[in-house]
Amino acid sequence: MPTRPYVIDEMISAKQIAARIEELSREIAHEFSDTDKLVVVGLLRGSFVFIADLVRELDLAVEVDFLEASSYGNAMESSREVKILKDLRGAIEGRDVLVVEDIVDTGHTLFHVIGLLKARKPRKLRTIALLDKPSRREAPIKADWTGFEIPDEFVVGYGIDFAQRNRNLPFIGKVRFTDDG
Ligand code: PRP
C-alpha cells in the first residue's frame, strides 16, 4: 500500500491512447499481413489493459498468450536479474510473435524476455510498448513500436500500478506526492 499521500494528474488521456492504438494497429497489421495466425504475448501484469485494447483493434487472426517476468535486485544497479514467474502456454517455434509491454524503463525486462523468446526460434518476433522512458535505459533495447515517449515521471494507470493500485485508471497519469516529503 502506498505510504505517502498523492494525487494523480492526467498525462495521456483515454482518447489519446485509443487514437494511438488505432494508428499502431494499422502498422502492425501491415507488418504481419503475410501471417495466418499471430501470437500476441502480453507481459503481465502491466500490459493487460493495453493488450486487450490492442487485439480488439487488430484486423488479423490472433492467439493471445501471457508471460510474467519479474526483475530483482537494486533498481540503482545496471545489472538486474529477470526471472520468469509464468511462462507461455504455447510453443512459438516457427510462429509470428508480437510481445506487448506497457512500459520500457531500464529495458531489462524486455531485453531478457526477447532473448528468451528468440532462443525458441519464432519466424518473426516484434515488440510494442505503450510507453517508453528512453532517459532511463540501461539495457540495449527499443521496442519496434512505441505508443508514447515520456520523460522520467512516475506514471500509473491503464494497467500500470503504484504499489499494486491504480491499474484500473482509463488514462495514464502522473503521481504527485502532496506531503512534500
Ligand atoms: C514493470 C512494467 C515492465 C517493467 C519495465 O513491470 O510492467 O514490465 O516494469 O521496467 P524495466 O524496463 O526497467 O525492466 P513490474 O515488474 O513492475 O511488474 P507488473 O507488470 O506486474 O506491474
Side-chain angles (χ1 to χ4, degrees):
M1 197 166 117
T3 50
R4 292 173 60 191
Y6 66 99
V7 293
I8 296 167
D9 300 323
E10 186 171 292
M11 191 177 172
I12 306 171
S13 71
K15 215 172 155 180
Q16 284 173 297
I17 296 170
R20 186 71 184 119
I21 289 177
E22 242 184 84
E23 287 174 359
L24 292 166
S25 306
R26 280 197 291 273
E27 291 178 27
I28 291 165
H30 184 255
E31 172 71 17
F32 290 102
S33 57
D34 61 342
T35 302
D36 64 343
K37 210 184 285 160
L38 175 66
V39 187
V40 184
V41 172
L43 300 194
L44 294 171
R45 287 175 261 185
S47 73
F48 79 104
V49 178
F50 182 35
I51 193 174
D53 282 347
L54 185 68
V55 293
R56 284 181 293 174
E57 278 297 322
L58 277 181
D59 192 13
L60 290 174
V62 298
E63 277 181 21
V64 176
D65 207 339
F66 291 96
L67 188 143
E68 184 170 8
S70 181
S71 67
Y72 290 92
N74 185 341
M76 302 307 286
E77 288 172 10
S78 63
S79 66
R80 282 207 272 160
E81 193 187 331
V82 179
K83 200 170 162 187
I84 301 303
L85 301 179
K86 182 210 169 295
D87 206 341
L88 298 177
R89 288 274 292 275
I92 56 164
E93 186 173 349
R95 307 288 305 274
D96 293 301
V97 179
L98 176 67
V99 175
V100 180
E101 180 62 298
D102 52 334
I103 183 165
V104 182
D105 187 358
T106 65
H108 289 296
T109 305
L110 193 59
F111 183 78
H112 182 89
V113 166
I114 291 308
L116 179 92
L117 298 184
K118 265 189 185 158
R120 296 179 188 182
K121 300 183 170 39
R123 188 181 82 100
K124 191 188 270 188
L125 181 63
R126 296 287 182 267
T127 53
I128 181 167
L130 180 68
L131 305 177
D132 188 5
K133 277 188 191 175
S135 63
R136 293 260 308 159
R137 196 72 81 255
E138 292 171 5
I141 188 104
K142 180 158 177 60
D144 295 301
W145 294 279
T146 295
F148 304 91
E149 271 196 10
I150 58 168
D152 186 15
E153 299 283 1
F154 190 166
V155 290
V156 290
Y158 200 74
I160 302 171
D161 70 305
F162 174 25
Q164 299 306 327
R165 295 198 176 183
N166 308 120
R167 290 191 197 269
N168 56 327
L169 290 174
F171 57 86
I172 298 288
K174 197 159 72 173
V175 170
R176 180 160 50 87
F177 293 101
T178 52
D179 60 356
D180 289 323

